[in-house]
Amino acid sequence: MPTQLETELYEALPPDLSAYISQELYGKTLRGLPIFKGLGEDFMAQLCASVNSQIVLKGQNVVTAGETGTNFFVLLRGELKIWERDGTSTDERFLGYLSEGSFFGEVPMLSDYAPGSETRTRTVQAVTESSLCYITRETVRELRDEYPELDAR
């Protein structure tokens, strides 16, 4: 997550400059994701401006099975590994690795508050220090209201 100083500096920038920086940091990666591919420039500008950044250290969990999830993550740099919880037991099964450009956490983001849909079924952990960005479910809901074409995805 960005530090308070980073947040304050970013908010102090003129709007055009902060929009440009957001597009440079996240635009190419987000445009390449299937859910956002082909959506208009206005949508992408708002999406990029709503993105949050997060750095995770080697060995740190990004998400943990069983916790409530409300964020959609995109791996910008680094490598993550992922496990899945086996049904109702506490056993976990290794699924593989995620590399740059991979995304996860979309189910809670896209669900319409279906019972249980917010519960994470997978644990994602950093193999290396990694840089991610994430989008909150609230942001996606606001964008879906303004851009119905997102809902069709």
Side-chain angles (χ1 to χ4, degrees):
M1 289 197 188
T3 66
Q4 184 173 346
L5 177 59
E6 290 170 327
T7 301
E8 289 172 7
L9 288 172
Y10 190 74
E11 289 173 353
L13 293 173
D16 288 345
L17 182 56
S18 65
Y20 174 78
I21 292 170
S22 293
Q23 287 273 0
E24 287 297 312
L25 288 172
Y26 310 115
K28 182 178 179 184
T29 301
L30 294 176
R31 274 185 190 83
L33 299 179
I35 191 171
F36 302 129
K37 193 173 267 188
L39 294 174
E41 287 303 312
D42 288 343
F43 170 83
M44 290 308 300
Q46 281 194 286
L47 178 65
C48 289
S50 302
V51 167
N52 300 287
S53 63
Q54 181 176 354
I55 303 292
V56 290
L57 303 176
K58 179 180 179 179
Q60 182 179 355
N61 285 356
V62 181
V63 298
T64 304
E67 66 186 17
T68 300
T70 58
N71 298 329
F72 167 70
F73 294 88
V74 180
L75 179 58
L76 301 172
R77 182 183 49 79
E79 185 177 34
L80 306 173
K81 56 185 175 180
I82 186 167
W83 292 274
E84 181 174 54
R85 183 177 279 177
D86 183 22
T88 58
S89 76
T90 58
D91 295 336
E92 292 186 323
R93 177 175 54 111
F94 178 71
L95 296 177
Y97 294 94
L98 300 174
S99 58
E100 295 174 12
S102 297
F103 61 92
F104 58 97
E106 69 279 7
V107 173
M109 180 192 74
L110 298 173
S111 71
D112 287 321
Y113 296 103
S117 65
E118 303 91 359
T119 303
R120 300 277 188 203
T121 59
R122 297 177 176 163
T123 297
V124 179
Q125 184 182 68
V127 174
T128 63
E129 180 178 305
S130 300
S131 174
L132 301 103
C133 66
Y134 66 93
I135 305 160
T136 67
R137 180 174 24 201
E138 292 75 29
T139 295
V140 171
R141 292 201 186 286
E142 290 168 9
L143 289 170
R144 284 168 72 182
D145 290 344
E146 192 168 341
Y147 298 94
E149 60 270 28
L150 178 60
D151 221 14
R153 306 274 169 147

